[in-house]
Amino acid sequence: MKYTTLLLIIVLLTTAFTISCQNNRGMKSTSTGDSINWKDSAKYLSMKIEEYYNNDENDSVYQLSPIAMKLCREHGIWHYYYYTWSIMAMTYIWDNQPNVAIKEAQQMQEDALARNDKYGLSKAYVVLGEAYAAQDNPEMTHAFRNALNIFQDTDGFGSKTTIYGKYSMALNAQKKFEEMDSVLTRWGAEVAHYPLKKDQDSTSSVAHWHYEYLYWMATLYIHKKQYQKAEAAVDSASYYLDFSGRTVINQSRHEGLCFELAKCKGDFKEALASCNRKMALTPSKTSSNYMSALEKRSIAHELLGHYQDALADYREFKLLKDSVSQEETQEQLNILNKRFELNELKAEKEREQMVARQKQMILYIAIVSLLVIGLIVYIVLHRKAERRMAKLSAEKERMESELRIAHDIQTQMVPSKFPHLEGLDIYASMTPAREVGGDLFDYLLSDGKLYFCLGDVSGKGVPAALFMTQVVKLFRAIAKQKVSPAEMATRINNELSENNEQGMFVTMFIGCLDMSTRHLDFCNCGHNPPVIGEWGRSCNFLQMDPNSPIGLLPGMEFKGEEIESIKGQTLFIYSDGLNEAENLQLEQFGDDRLLNILQTTRFDSAFQVVETMKVAVNQHRNGAEPNDDLSMFCIIVD
């Protein structure tokens, strides 16, 4: 198998080279022969990998993809580089390895961000969304939203239609119909730019784009119980389906939509008719389409009061389903039997070899006996030391286990999910330098106001983590009382400074954003100045009055400040683990580098701001261990 695969790869590369030479006849020759069009070679390899992917030949995808990606990387062919990478990552999903696909997508994301390649970043988000969908992870909608927002029209509108469809499917699965309505409105405006023209070669593709849009519009109308609009959308979709080709898969899917519409309208006879049409399309009774139609037909019969027919259909459905399961089980048994046969042959060969090895056993026994005597002496002399080492190892394992538990508890103390609000995008992240740390962030939504904070406790490790826990609990309790940020700082200070014999303190930035007026109240308590402004245009450090850190002295009155409106601006708050991050030469990341990234880069989301800064810090460290906890909080206000 290994040599067959190697031969296949050599044949593919040779074919790609031949095609490149044929496509470049007439190009200026060099001393080594005709110039090679590496782009055509990369295109050919990516098409071959896609063919393997479509035919479920996963091993071939895994083996050929790294070769194609290396060729693209060496010759700067980034479009096919990310395209091939995405196919390989998608293969992991259908190979029941979504966690591996997520890691590939995250690496692709970092690579594309470092290269500022929006096409690659879009592909990474699509893979991430598909992997999350395979795990029923609600974050899939966030991934598809990012993919759509940064999409570059390199593959044509067909690829964008795919993203729209997957995004709509994810929103439909999570019953987020308002957001789905907004996405479909945007989709419809773009589809309108591609009218169906019968004299064009791309008629089939354009018709498919229109059909996909109308399919999901009909689905949304059905959920909204707007059945007349849904029926009109289904009729229009059927028209475009004629031009895009009524394949068995497309027609079967369309009949499923007709069934849902008829059932919701109460037209149970039409629902039954759609099931019969779908079953006629798939004569193979073991196909998933046939069994799905049979199950739906049982429901239609039941709604019509045909209980005997409904029972007959359901019994047939169960028998077919059990039969398919038995066939799959038998196939697995056949595979195991083949493996057992191979194992028997292998065992026979091992028995023959054992006879030859027995002749050498006497010599080995003598050598081993000497070694055993030496080992006994060694064990006796070092037994006490080994016991001591075992005790130390157990103690170390216990401490590491406790630290892992503490890390999990601390991670749960800060929010991991962020609201999707109209005109407001929020995202935050905390990365301790050790197992546990002293950074914190939190937010609270109450009566149209967003209370939020980010802080940095003095010191590191377990003491800082315990102090951080107190701060988070106090912020949540006092924020619920709906007081100003300055009053919150004063109350938290009074609580923390009481009996604070260790002299610990926390620097904090506390804010309150009125989501209707975009008015911002804030109080900075000895913390780094946030950056505010419009990314990629004009932004700078926020000018503020100084306040002391929280927890040093009881009875202190903290001074608050306000900004009339931060509409159209972005607020970026961070701990000194960002600007004071050091590389192996002990050079800090610095305020200038931080501000330069934000001033020269346009971001589409708060998530992208935070993740971009993470990548920049890791690149600056260049292998150096983190010297401090790193926390970031970004708020984008439209």
Side-chain angles (χ1 to χ4, degrees):
M1 177 64 185
K2 179 171 66 175
Y3 296 110
T4 303
T5 303
L6 180 60
L7 180 60
L8 174 63
I9 293 172
I10 294 171
V11 169
L12 288 173
L13 290 176
T14 305
T15 306
F17 177 80
T18 304
I19 291 173
S20 299
C21 291
Q22 291 174 350
N23 290 338
N24 288 277
R25 287 177 182 172
M27 295 179 64
K28 186 175 179 180
S29 298
T30 64
S31 59
T32 58
D34 291 341
S35 299
I36 298 176
N37 190 325
W38 293 109
K39 186 174 182 180
D40 282 351
S41 299
K43 181 179 180 180
Y44 172 80
L45 288 174
S46 66
M47 290 173 63
K48 200 66 182 176
I49 292 168
E50 183 180 14
E51 181 181 345
Y52 288 142
Y53 171 77
N54 291 331
N55 292 324
D56 295 330
E57 298 181 34
N58 297 345
D59 290 341
S60 297
V61 173
Y62 296 145
Q63 292 172 1
L64 189 55
S65 294
I67 297 173
M69 290 171 62
K70 182 180 179 182
L71 182 146
C72 293
R73 203 165 45 241
E74 290 176 350
H75 299 281
I77 309 170
W78 302 116
H79 173 82
Y80 290 113
Y81 173 73
Y82 290 114
Y83 182 69
T84 302
W85 198 346
S86 67
I87 293 176
M88 183 178 71
M90 290 291 290
T91 305
Y92 283 116
I93 297 174
W94 309 131
D95 207 11
N96 295 320
Q97 301 182 70
N99 289 331
V100 178
I102 290 172
K103 290 181 180 179
E104 291 290 337
Q106 290 170 342
Q107 292 176 6
M108 195 190 315
Q109 186 183 69
E110 291 182 7
D111 189 278
L113 281 171
R115 202 171 278 111
N116 197 24
D117 191 306
K118 292 190 175 182
Y119 174 77
L121 192 58
S122 174
K123 284 291 185 184
Y125 278 123
V126 169
V127 173
L128 201 58
E130 290 280 16
Y132 284 151
Q135 298 177 327
D136 291 328
N137 189 326
E139 287 297 316
M140 60 182 170
T141 54
H142 187 75
F144 287 133
R145 185 187 307 117
N146 284 336
L148 187 61
N149 289 339
I150 64 176
F151 179 81
Q152 293 293 291
D153 198 12
T154 310
D155 271 352
F157 188 68
S159 293
K160 196 168 189 180
T161 294
T162 301
I163 300 175
Y164 270 121
K166 293 181 185 299
Y167 190 9
S168 299
M169 179 181 64
L171 294 172
N172 179 61
Q174 295 183 14
K175 302 186 185 303
K176 295 182 178 180
F177 300 124
E178 291 185 7
E179 187 175 352
M180 185 177 176
D181 195 351
S182 175
V183 171
L184 287 169
T185 300
R186 177 178 169 186
W187 190 359
E190 296 198 34
V191 168
H193 292 295
Y194 294 88
L196 186 63
K197 296 180 181 180
K198 297 181 180 180
D199 58 342
Q200 289 183 344
D201 294 335
S202 60
T203 296
S204 177
S205 297
V206 173
H208 175 70
W209 303 340
H210 282 269
Y211 176 80
E212 285 297 316
Y213 162 69
L214 290 166
Y215 177 91
W216 288 110
M217 280 300 304
T219 302
L220 179 62
Y221 285 141
I222 290 172
H223 285 299
K224 288 184 172 183
K225 299 181 179 180
Q226 298 176 359
Y227 300 130
Q228 288 185 345
K229 292 183 177 180
E231 190 169 6
V234 170
D235 290 341
S236 298
S238 181
Y239 168 78
Y240 286 108
L241 188 60
D242 288 334
F243 287 100
S244 63
R246 284 182 175 268
T247 62
V248 171
I249 295 175
N250 289 341
Q251 183 64 28
S252 178
R253 181 178 175 225
H254 187 73
E255 291 297 345
L257 180 64
C258 293
F259 168 81
E260 291 298 329
L261 176 58
K263 185 185 72 171
C264 293
K265 287 173 58 182
D267 189 352
F268 304 137
K269 289 184 178 180
E270 176 57 28
L272 179 61
S274 68
C275 292
N276 290 331
R277 291 193 297 269
K278 185 173 182 177
M279 291 174 68
L281 289 167
T282 51
S284 174
K285 291 189 175 183
T286 58
S287 69
S288 60
N289 280 332
Y290 183 90
M291 288 192 288
S292 173
L294 188 61
E295 184 181 21
K296 286 181 170 61
R297 193 171 75 172
S298 172
I299 295 170
H301 277 308
E302 182 180 356
L303 293 172
L304 286 167
H306 305 160
Y307 299 116
Q308 289 185 347
D309 293 334
L311 182 59
D313 282 347
Y314 184 73
R315 283 176 176 171
E316 185 181 356
F317 165 73
K318 288 292 292 180
L319 287 172
L320 289 173
K321 187 176 181 181
D322 293 342
S323 174
V324 170
S325 298
Q326 289 173 2
E327 288 179 4
E328 291 176 351
T329 302
Q330 186 60 47
E331 183 179 353
Q332 293 296 322
L333 288 173
N334 291 338
I335 294 172
L336 289 174
N337 286 334
K338 290 180 181 178
R339 290 179 181 173
F340 290 148
E341 291 174 4
L342 292 175
N343 288 338
E344 284 295 327
L345 293 173
K346 183 178 179 181
E348 181 64 27
K349 185 176 180 180
E350 288 177 351
R351 282 193 291 270
E352 293 175 357
Q353 293 174 345
M354 186 175 296
V355 175
R357 288 197 298 268
Q358 286 176 348
K359 297 179 180 179
Q360 300 174 351
M361 191 60 65
I362 296 175
L363 178 60
Y364 291 161
I365 290 174
I367 296 173
V368 170
S369 297
L370 293 174
L371 291 174
V372 168
I373 294 172
L375 284 172
I376 291 173
V377 174
Y378 177 82
I379 290 171
V380 170
L381 294 175
H382 293 85
R383 190 171 184 179
K384 184 177 180 180
E386 287 179 353
R387 287 178 179 176
R388 183 165 176 252
M389 289 298 295
K391 184 177 179 180
L392 289 174
S393 178
E395 182 67 18
K396 181 182 177 183
E397 288 180 3
R398 183 187 65 79
M399 292 179 64
E400 289 177 348
S401 176
E402 291 178 355
L403 284 173
R404 284 194 297 270
I405 295 171
H407 172 80
D408 294 340
I409 294 173
Q410 185 182 28
T411 302
Q412 295 170 5
M413 288 292 297
V414 298
S416 60
K417 295 183 179 180
F418 303 93
H420 301 299
L421 303 173
E422 185 177 356
L424 191 66
D425 187 14
I426 305 172
Y427 187 79
S429 169
M430 180 184 74
T431 307
R434 301 177 183 174
E435 287 82 357
V436 291
D439 276 10
L440 62 103
F441 67 83
D442 204 353
Y443 73 86
L444 175 70
L445 285 167
S446 179
D447 295 337
K449 292 187 177 181
L450 173 68
Y451 298 88
F452 60 93
C453 71
L454 187 143
D456 183 0
V457 175
S458 59
K460 300 180 184 67
V462 175
L466 294 174
F467 200 79
M468 166 265 189
T469 304
Q470 284 185 286
V471 176
V472 171
K473 288 183 176 180
L474 287 170
F475 169 79
R476 292 177 182 174
I478 298 175
K480 292 177 181 178
Q481 301 175 19
K482 304 173 185 178
V483 299
S484 68
E487 178 65 18
M488 292 171 67
T490 300
R491 293 189 187 183
I492 294 173
N493 179 72
N494 290 337
E495 292 291 335
L496 293 178
S497 58
E498 185 177 354
N499 299 323
N500 186 10
E501 296 179 358
Q502 291 77 22
M504 298 189 71
F505 61 88
V506 57
T507 66
M508 287 185 75
F509 183 93
I510 306 174
C512 175
L513 175 65
D514 189 318
M515 289 183 286
S516 60
T517 63
R518 303 307 196 243
H519 182 87
L520 176 66
D521 288 312
F522 65 92
C523 180
N524 189 61
C525 310
H527 199 73
N528 294 338
V531 180
I532 189 169
E534 297 182 55
W535 298 162
R537 294 183 180 178
S538 60
C539 58
N540 216 320
F541 293 107
L542 182 62
Q543 299 297 318
M544 305 171 296
D545 292 332
N547 278 305
S548 297
I550 294 175
L552 290 176
L553 296 172
M556 291 186 62
E557 293 292 333
F558 287 80
K559 182 178 180 181
E561 300 177 68
E562 62 181 0
I563 299 176
E564 187 64 27
S565 174
I566 62 170
K567 184 175 182 180
Q569 300 188 66
T570 301
L571 182 66
F572 180 68
I573 317 163
Y574 56 93
S575 65
D576 55 13
L578 175 60
N579 59 326
E580 295 181 6
E582 296 179 347
N583 58 18
L584 295 172
Q585 290 74 40
L586 302 182
E587 297 169 341
Q588 291 190 348
F589 188 80
D591 292 341
D592 292 339
R593 191 193 307 267
L594 184 158
L595 194 59
N596 180 62
I597 293 174
L598 298 177
Q599 286 178 339
T600 58
T601 309
R602 293 189 62 83
F603 299 99
D604 298 314
S605 66
F607 171 83
Q608 189 181 357
V609 174
V610 174
E611 293 302 312
T612 299
M613 297 307 295
K614 277 186 183 180
V615 172
V617 169
N618 287 334
Q619 290 176 343
H620 172 73
R621 286 200 188 108
N622 195 25
E625 290 293 325
N627 56 305
D628 202 351
D629 306 329
L630 172 61
S631 293
M632 293 175 281
F633 198 125
C634 184
I635 303 175
I636 299 178
V637 183
D638 292 336

